[in-house]
Amino acid sequence: MMDFTRMKTDVFLTLTLMYSICLVPCNGGLVYFLDTQVVASEGNQFSLRIGHTGTLTQIVNAIVRVDNSDQDFVGSSQVAAFAPGGDNVASVTFMVFDDSEPEIEETYTFTLQAITSGTDVTIPNMATVIIQANDDAYGVFSITNVSLTFL
Ligand SMILES: [Ca+2]
Ligand SMILES: [Ca+2]
């Protein structure tokens, strides 16, 4: 079954971010996702790397967010920080919440937003994280010992 509430939120976030994408020359550089597709498993951490273009003359922060209303992650946002003289790549680490519920594979969209003035976001500004099926999800739905009788 489709989750229309989540779809609506995703469409809203997508539109919001499309408006915030830098379409004209930006002064403070651009941030974007270096990792756009990650596979994660329950109870484990995963990282998303963020790149920054241009010279860093000030500390630049970008926030990575996910709709965590289903509580599949520990927390819903992390901040990536870039410092002058430092690396143009920063990474954020999220933890997949370890519950005991059987869940089939789920796909989440993480979005990136610059929170330092003068810095903007460019594409790719979204990353897809797939949480693998866990807690014997397919065991719940699998059919064992099927026998068919044709008359
Ligand atoms: Ca879960
Ligand atoms: Ca689970």
Side-chain angles (χ1 to χ4, degrees), residues 42 71-72 97 99 103 106 134:
E42 198 168 88
Q71 299 195 311
D72 279 296
F97 184 68
D99 58 32
E103 290 157 294
E106 287 179 281
N134 55 73

